[in-house]
Amino acid sequence: MVTSAISFKPTQIGNRGLYFAAAILLSWLVMLVFLLNYPINWQNPLVYVFVLVQTHLYTGVFITAHDAIHGVVAPHNKRLNNAIGFLCATLFAFNNYNQLSRKHHLHHKHSATLDDPDYHDGNPGFLAWYYSFLKEYISVFQIVLMAVTYNVLKLWFPMENLIAFWMVPAVLSTFQLFYFGTYRPHRGEHHNPPHNARSQKRNHVLAFLSCYFFGYHAEHHAWPYLPWWKLPEARELELKVKS
């Protein structure tokens, strides 16, 4: 990993981080409002397509909170950057933005070691690691808030719509984030300390659909100040340097 290969400063992205954040948040919100009023027919394949679309948008909401943690949503305005990060973390099952920030910086500092909150001692299979990951980030308080919100929303929206398009996508999104952003990049042995991360093969379409380019995970750890939409550029440059 030739980290000097990219000359880039977060401030050079200007307002583009805000545009991407606004696009994701508005898409998620508009889609959610539409789907909560959508007549569900379980024999209609569009229902399952919409679940997958909303899952991907949920993941985008979390990715925006993640980029805010790295200060690249609004690099010129720290208060605005953190406000957007707080909003996105809250929308994603009432996550605590400050706690996420603290633990995520520990993850970058101690990647794939026993001091990494995202790492599971013994490097086990997917389910055991996933369970450990959830315990690290989900609190009883969050579950209570989700339950209260569900019961309030149930006063206006059908129960099956809430489950199919609000609850299920949130759960599936945690699988998506964990599998492509933690498990695949950090499992097994690594030969690039201190990042201890690997990247998927170059395919920008699949990389976006899988987890907003976070399959290019070695690049993210090498240049954590790059927003998600800059990771393909980093991957291309990294492969060019290696060739």
Side-chain angles (χ1 to χ4, degrees), residues 33-140:
V33 171
F34 167 73
L35 292 175
L36 289 181
N37 293 281
Y38 184 77
I40 291 182
N41 177 354
W42 296 110
Q43 295 181 344
N44 181 1
L46 275 179
V47 170
Y48 305 96
V49 172
F50 286 149
V51 169
L52 294 177
V53 169
Q54 193 64 359
T55 297
H56 190 66
L57 291 173
Y58 252 111
T59 299
V61 171
F62 186 88
I63 292 296
T64 303
H66 164 272
D67 273 8
I69 288 171
H70 288 290
V72 295
V73 172
H76 295 289
N77 189 327
K78 184 176 181 180
R79 180 174 295 181
L80 177 60
N81 179 85
N82 290 337
I84 294 172
F86 178 86
L87 173 63
C88 290
T90 302
L91 291 174
F92 195 89
F94 296 101
N95 275 275
N96 184 308
Y97 177 71
N98 291 328
Q99 177 179 282
L100 283 177
S101 179
R102 178 178 61 82
K103 290 188 176 182
H104 190 67
H105 285 300
L106 285 174
H107 166 65
H108 275 268
K109 186 177 181 180
H110 306 289
S111 180
T113 70
L114 297 182
D115 294 319
D116 177 1
D118 293 359
Y119 183 72
H120 192 292
D121 186 14
N123 205 11
F126 175 83
L127 290 179
W129 195 340
Y130 177 68
Y131 176 68
S132 172
F133 184 82
L134 291 183
K135 286 198 303 180
E136 188 70 37
Y137 287 98
I138 295 181
S139 68
V140 174

